[in-house]
Protein backbone atom coordinates (compact mmCIF):
# COMPACT_ATOMS: atom_id res chain seq x y z
CA UNK A 1 0.00 0.00 0.00
CA UNK A 2 2.92 2.35 0.72
CA UNK A 3 4.13 1.94 -2.90
CA UNK A 4 0.65 2.79 -4.18
CA UNK A 5 0.47 5.82 -1.90
CA UNK A 6 3.90 6.96 -3.09
CA UNK A 7 2.78 6.71 -6.71
CA UNK A 8 -0.40 8.64 -5.83
CA UNK A 9 1.65 11.39 -4.16
CA UNK A 10 3.96 11.63 -7.18
CA UNK A 11 0.95 11.92 -9.49
CA UNK A 12 -0.75 14.55 -7.37
CA UNK A 13 2.52 16.46 -7.06
CA UNK A 14 2.93 16.75 -10.83
CA UNK A 15 1.83 20.19 -12.07
CA UNK A 16 1.47 18.87 -15.64
CA UNK A 17 -0.80 16.05 -14.47
CA UNK A 18 -2.80 18.49 -12.37
CA UNK A 19 -3.38 20.73 -15.39
CA UNK A 20 -4.59 17.80 -17.49
CA UNK A 21 -6.90 16.70 -14.67
CA UNK A 22 -8.30 20.22 -14.45
CA UNK A 23 -8.97 20.03 -18.19
CA UNK A 24 -11.06 16.97 -17.37
CA UNK A 25 -13.53 19.22 -15.57
CA UNK A 26 -13.76 21.38 -18.71
CA UNK A 27 -14.63 18.45 -20.96
CA UNK A 28 -17.02 17.07 -18.34
CA UNK A 29 -18.71 20.45 -18.41
CA UNK A 30 -18.89 20.41 -22.21
CA UNK A 31 -20.66 17.04 -22.14
CA UNK A 32 -23.25 18.31 -19.65
CA UNK A 33 -23.86 21.49 -21.65
CA UNK A 34 -24.57 19.36 -24.72
CA UNK A 35 -26.77 16.99 -22.67
CA UNK A 36 -28.70 19.93 -21.29
CA UNK A 37 -29.21 21.44 -24.74
CA UNK A 38 -30.54 18.10 -26.05
CA UNK A 39 -32.96 17.85 -23.11
CA UNK A 40 -34.18 21.40 -23.73
CA UNK A 41 -34.75 20.66 -27.42
CA UNK A 42 -36.73 17.52 -26.54
CA UNK A 43 -38.84 19.55 -24.12
CA UNK A 44 -39.55 21.95 -27.00
CA UNK A 45 -40.83 19.07 -29.15
CA UNK A 46 -37.75 17.90 -31.03
CA UNK A 47 -36.40 14.36 -31.06
CA UNK A 48 -33.09 13.41 -29.59
CA UNK A 49 -30.99 11.00 -27.55
CA UNK A 50 -30.54 12.70 -24.17
CA UNK A 51 -27.70 10.63 -22.77
CA UNK A 52 -23.93 10.38 -23.05
CA UNK A 53 -23.88 8.71 -26.46
CA UNK A 54 -26.32 11.34 -27.77
CA UNK A 55 -23.94 14.02 -26.55
CA UNK A 56 -20.97 12.24 -28.16
CA UNK A 57 -22.82 12.03 -31.47
CA UNK A 58 -23.56 15.76 -31.33
CA UNK A 59 -19.91 16.55 -30.65
CA UNK A 60 -18.73 14.23 -33.46
CA UNK A 61 -20.83 16.15 -35.97
CA UNK A 62 -18.62 19.19 -35.35
CA UNK A 63 -15.93 19.73 -38.04
CA UNK A 64 -13.25 19.04 -35.43
CA UNK A 65 -15.44 16.61 -33.48
CA UNK A 66 -12.99 13.72 -33.66
CA UNK A 67 -10.22 15.79 -32.10
CA UNK A 68 -12.59 17.14 -29.45
CA UNK A 69 -13.61 13.60 -28.53
CA UNK A 70 -9.99 12.52 -28.17
CA UNK A 71 -9.35 15.50 -25.89
CA UNK A 72 -12.48 14.64 -23.90
CA UNK A 73 -11.25 11.06 -23.45
CA UNK A 74 -7.77 12.17 -22.35
CA UNK A 75 -9.19 14.74 -19.93
CA UNK A 76 -11.61 12.28 -18.35
CA UNK A 77 -8.97 9.56 -18.06
CA UNK A 78 -6.68 12.04 -16.29
CA UNK A 79 -9.51 13.16 -14.01
CA UNK A 80 -10.27 9.51 -13.18
CA UNK A 81 -6.61 8.91 -12.34
CA UNK A 82 -6.65 12.00 -10.11
CA UNK A 83 -9.70 10.68 -8.24
CA UNK A 84 -8.00 7.31 -7.71
CA UNK A 85 -4.88 9.07 -6.40
CA UNK A 86 -7.08 11.10 -4.06
CA UNK A 87 -8.76 7.89 -2.87
CA UNK A 88 -5.45 6.36 -1.80
CA UNK A 89 -4.40 9.57 -0.07
CA UNK A 90 -7.72 10.01 1.77
CA UNK A 91 -6.73 10.96 5.31
CA UNK A 92 -9.75 11.02 7.57
CA UNK A 93 -8.91 10.09 11.16
CA UNK A 94 -11.93 7.76 11.28
CA UNK A 95 -11.01 4.60 9.37
CA UNK A 96 -14.60 3.89 8.33
CA UNK A 97 -14.98 7.40 6.93
CA UNK A 98 -11.64 7.02 5.15
CA UNK A 99 -12.79 3.87 3.36
CA UNK A 100 -16.18 5.38 2.64
CA UNK A 101 -14.44 8.31 0.96
CA UNK A 102 -12.20 5.95 -0.98
CA UNK A 103 -15.17 3.96 -2.28
CA UNK A 104 -16.89 7.18 -3.31
CA UNK A 105 -13.84 8.51 -5.17
CA UNK A 106 -13.18 5.19 -6.92
CA UNK A 107 -16.85 5.07 -7.97
CA UNK A 108 -16.56 8.58 -9.42
CA UNK A 109 -13.38 7.61 -11.26
CA UNK A 110 -15.10 4.57 -12.79
CA UNK A 111 -17.89 6.82 -14.09
CA UNK A 112 -15.28 9.12 -15.67
CA UNK A 113 -13.52 6.12 -17.24
CA UNK A 114 -16.77 4.84 -18.77
CA UNK A 115 -17.61 8.21 -20.32
CA UNK A 116 -14.01 8.71 -21.43
CA UNK A 117 -14.01 5.28 -23.07
CA UNK A 118 -17.24 6.15 -24.83
CA UNK A 119 -15.67 9.39 -26.12
CA UNK A 120 -12.71 7.44 -27.50
CA UNK A 121 -15.04 4.95 -29.24
CA UNK A 122 -16.87 7.81 -30.94
CA UNK A 123 -13.57 9.53 -31.79
CA UNK A 124 -12.45 6.54 -33.87
CA UNK A 125 -15.79 6.29 -35.66
CA UNK A 126 -17.50 3.72 -33.46
CA UNK A 127 -20.77 3.87 -31.58
CA UNK A 128 -21.88 2.91 -28.08
CA UNK A 129 -25.50 2.58 -27.00
CA UNK A 130 -25.80 3.44 -23.31
CA UNK A 131 -29.55 2.81 -23.33
CA UNK A 132 -29.02 -0.72 -24.62
CA UNK A 133 -26.25 -1.23 -22.08
CA UNK A 134 -28.58 -0.17 -19.23
CA UNK A 135 -31.30 -2.55 -20.44
CA UNK A 136 -28.76 -5.38 -20.76
CA UNK A 137 -27.52 -4.69 -17.23
CA UNK A 138 -31.09 -4.83 -15.94
CA UNK A 139 -31.74 -8.11 -17.76
CA UNK A 140 -28.53 -9.73 -16.50
CA UNK A 141 -29.19 -8.68 -12.92
CA UNK A 142 -32.82 -9.84 -13.03
CA UNK A 143 -31.71 -13.24 -14.32
CA UNK A 144 -29.32 -13.72 -11.40
CA UNK A 145 -30.33 -15.32 -8.08
CA UNK A 146 -32.16 -12.71 -5.97
CA UNK A 147 -31.90 -10.51 -9.04
CA UNK A 148 -35.01 -8.46 -8.25
CA UNK A 149 -33.66 -7.47 -4.85
CA UNK A 150 -30.23 -6.73 -6.32
CA UNK A 151 -31.66 -4.50 -9.04
CA UNK A 152 -33.71 -2.66 -6.42
CA UNK A 153 -30.48 -2.06 -4.47
CA UNK A 154 -28.77 -0.78 -7.63
CA UNK A 155 -31.69 1.51 -8.40
CA UNK A 156 -31.85 2.86 -4.85
CA UNK A 157 -28.08 3.41 -4.91
CA UNK A 158 -28.30 5.41 -8.14
CA UNK A 159 -31.29 7.33 -6.79
CA UNK A 160 -29.29 7.96 -3.62
CA UNK A 161 -26.54 9.56 -5.69
CA UNK A 162 -29.17 11.82 -7.22
CA UNK A 163 -30.49 12.74 -3.77
CA UNK A 164 -26.89 13.42 -2.73
CA UNK A 165 -26.56 15.95 -5.56
CA UNK A 166 -29.81 17.65 -4.54
CA UNK A 167 -28.75 17.80 -0.89
CA UNK A 168 -25.32 19.08 -1.98
CA UNK A 169 -27.01 21.86 -3.91
CA UNK A 170 -29.27 22.74 -0.99
CA UNK A 171 -26.45 22.75 1.58
CA UNK A 172 -23.86 24.12 -0.89
CA UNK A 173 -21.57 21.29 0.16
CA UNK A 174 -19.66 21.63 -3.12
CA UNK A 175 -18.05 24.80 -1.75
CA UNK A 176 -15.57 22.74 0.27
CA UNK A 177 -14.25 21.32 -3.02
CA UNK A 178 -13.35 24.78 -4.32
CA UNK A 179 -11.03 27.66 -3.55
CA UNK A 180 -13.65 30.28 -4.34
CA UNK A 181 -12.79 33.89 -5.19
CA UNK A 182 -14.35 36.76 -3.29
CA UNK A 183 -17.03 39.20 -4.36
CA UNK A 184 -19.48 38.84 -7.22
CA UNK A 185 -17.56 35.96 -8.83
CA UNK A 186 -18.04 33.84 -5.71
CA UNK A 187 -21.78 34.42 -5.69
CA UNK A 188 -22.01 33.59 -9.38
CA UNK A 189 -20.13 30.29 -9.05
CA UNK A 190 -22.16 29.28 -5.99
CA UNK A 191 -25.40 30.02 -7.88
CA UNK A 192 -24.20 27.89 -10.79
CA UNK A 193 -23.41 25.09 -8.36
CA UNK A 194 -26.80 25.19 -6.62
CA UNK A 195 -28.79 25.19 -9.87
CA UNK A 196 -26.51 22.62 -11.51
CA UNK A 197 -26.56 20.23 -8.58
CA UNK A 198 -30.36 20.33 -8.47
CA UNK A 199 -30.64 19.59 -12.21
CA UNK A 200 -28.02 16.83 -12.11
CA UNK A 201 -29.62 15.33 -9.00
CA UNK A 202 -33.07 15.10 -10.54
CA UNK A 203 -31.73 13.48 -13.71
CA UNK A 204 -29.68 10.88 -11.81
CA UNK A 205 -32.43 10.28 -9.27
CA UNK A 206 -35.07 9.52 -11.91
CA UNK A 207 -32.61 7.14 -13.60
CA UNK A 208 -32.35 5.22 -10.34
CA UNK A 209 -36.12 5.15 -9.93
CA UNK A 210 -36.45 3.51 -13.36
CA UNK A 211 -34.12 0.71 -12.28
CA UNK A 212 -36.40 0.11 -9.28
CA UNK A 213 -39.43 0.09 -11.61
CA UNK A 214 -37.64 -2.44 -13.84
CA UNK A 215 -37.05 -4.63 -10.78
CA UNK A 216 -40.61 -4.40 -9.45
CA UNK A 217 -42.18 -5.10 -12.87
CA UNK A 218 -39.38 -7.55 -13.79
CA UNK A 219 -39.16 -5.76 -17.13
CA UNK A 220 -35.55 -4.86 -18.05
CA UNK A 221 -36.85 -2.56 -20.79
CA UNK A 222 -37.88 -0.13 -18.05
CA UNK A 223 -34.28 0.30 -16.83
CA UNK A 224 -33.17 2.18 -19.90
CA UNK A 225 -30.81 4.78 -18.48
CA UNK A 226 -30.60 8.57 -18.59
CA UNK A 227 -32.39 9.11 -21.91
CA UNK A 228 -35.43 7.13 -20.74
CA UNK A 229 -35.34 8.96 -17.39
CA UNK A 230 -35.46 12.37 -19.04
CA UNK A 231 -38.13 11.32 -21.54
CA UNK A 232 -40.22 9.94 -18.66
CA UNK A 233 -40.51 13.45 -17.27
CA UNK A 234 -42.62 14.39 -20.29
CA UNK A 235 -45.55 12.27 -19.10
CA UNK A 236 -45.77 14.14 -15.79
CA UNK A 237 -47.99 17.21 -15.31
CA UNK A 238 -46.20 20.19 -16.91
CA UNK A 239 -43.74 17.61 -18.25
CA UNK A 240 -42.15 19.75 -20.99
CA UNK A 241 -41.60 22.57 -18.51
CA UNK A 242 -40.07 20.15 -15.99
CA UNK A 243 -37.82 18.54 -18.61
CA UNK A 244 -36.78 21.96 -19.87
CA UNK A 245 -35.90 23.02 -16.31
CA UNK A 246 -33.84 19.86 -15.80
CA UNK A 247 -32.13 20.48 -19.14
CA UNK A 248 -31.23 23.99 -18.03
CA UNK A 249 -29.95 22.52 -14.76
CA UNK A 250 -27.73 20.03 -16.60
CA UNK A 251 -26.33 22.78 -18.83
CA UNK A 252 -25.71 24.99 -15.81
CA UNK A 253 -23.97 22.07 -14.09
CA UNK A 254 -21.74 21.90 -17.15
CA UNK A 255 -20.84 25.58 -16.80
CA UNK A 256 -20.16 24.97 -13.10
CA UNK A 257 -17.79 22.11 -14.02
CA UNK A 258 -15.92 24.45 -16.36
CA UNK A 259 -15.60 26.97 -13.52
CA UNK A 260 -14.50 24.14 -11.24
CA UNK A 261 -11.55 23.51 -13.56
CA UNK A 262 -10.20 26.87 -12.42
CA UNK A 263 -11.12 26.80 -8.74
CA UNK A 264 -11.06 23.09 -7.73
CA UNK A 265 -8.82 22.20 -4.81
CA UNK A 266 -6.28 19.89 -6.40
Amino acid sequence: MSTVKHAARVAKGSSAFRRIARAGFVVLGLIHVVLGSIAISIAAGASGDADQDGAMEQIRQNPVGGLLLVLIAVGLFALAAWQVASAFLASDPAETKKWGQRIKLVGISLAYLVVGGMAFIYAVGGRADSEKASKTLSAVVLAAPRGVALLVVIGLSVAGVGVGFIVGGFTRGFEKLLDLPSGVARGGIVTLGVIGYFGKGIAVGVTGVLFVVAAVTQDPEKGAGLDAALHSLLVLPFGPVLLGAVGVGLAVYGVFCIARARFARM
Side-chain angles (χ1 to χ4, degrees):
M1 180 65 74
S2 60
T3 302
V4 175
K5 284 190 173 182
H6 175 71
R9 287 193 180 93
V10 171
K12 292 196 74 173
S14 168
S15 58
F17 182 65
R18 190 182 298 113
R19 284 194 291 270
I20 297 173
R22 285 187 184 277
F25 285 119
V26 175
V27 298
L28 186 66
L30 174 62
I31 291 170
H32 279 85
V33 169
V34 175
L35 273 174
S37 66
I38 294 172
I40 292 169
S41 68
I42 292 172
S47 60
D49 191 359
D51 52 17
Q52 289 85 355
D53 48 291
M56 300 300 174
E57 187 63 48
Q58 289 281 345
I59 294 171
R60 185 163 64 178
Q61 292 174 8
N62 187 284
V64 292
L67 176 60
L68 283 175
L69 288 166
V70 169
L71 294 176
I72 286 172
V74 171
L76 289 176
F77 290 156
L79 193 53
W82 182 271
Q83 295 289 351
V84 171
S86 298
F88 281 103
L89 295 178
S91 56
D92 195 294
E95 192 68 22
T96 54
K97 290 184 178 180
K98 180 192 295 185
W99 278 103
Q101 180 70 359
R102 283 175 175 169
I103 292 171
K104 176 183 175 182
L105 291 172
V106 170
I108 292 171
S109 70
L110 287 175
Y112 291 156
L113 286 173
V114 169
V115 180
M118 187 178 294
F120 184 77
I121 289 171
Y122 274 85
V124 298
R127 180 174 174 79
D129 192 332
S130 58
E131 180 176 336
K132 183 178 180 181
S134 295
K135 291 179 180 179
T136 300
L137 172 64
S138 298
V140 169
V141 173
L142 284 173
R146 303 182 187 276
V148 172
L150 181 56
L151 190 56
V152 167
V153 170
I154 292 173
L156 291 177
S157 299
V158 174
V161 172
V163 171
F165 270 100
I166 293 171
V167 172
F170 182 76
T171 62
R172 305 197 314 192
F174 55 82
E175 290 187 45
K176 64 184 178 182
L177 304 174
L178 308 172
D179 286 319
L180 289 169
S182 58
V184 176
R186 180 187 184 94
I189 294 171
V190 170
T191 300
L192 290 173
V194 170
I195 296 172
Y197 266 59
F198 271 108
K200 175 78 170 179
I202 293 172
V204 174
V206 175
T207 303
V209 169
L210 289 187
F211 279 119
V212 175
V213 171
V216 173
T217 61
Q218 298 189 39
D219 180 4
E221 293 295 311
K222 296 285 198 310
L226 179 61
D227 179 61
L230 293 178
H231 274 88
S232 71
L233 296 176
L234 288 172
V235 304
L236 299 176
F238 304 102
V241 175
L242 179 57
L243 177 57
V246 172
V248 169
L250 286 171
V252 170
Y253 181 77
V255 177
F256 170 78
C257 288
I258 294 171
R260 187 177 176 183
R262 168 66 177 83
F263 298 106
R265 292 177 178 173
M266 301 183 73

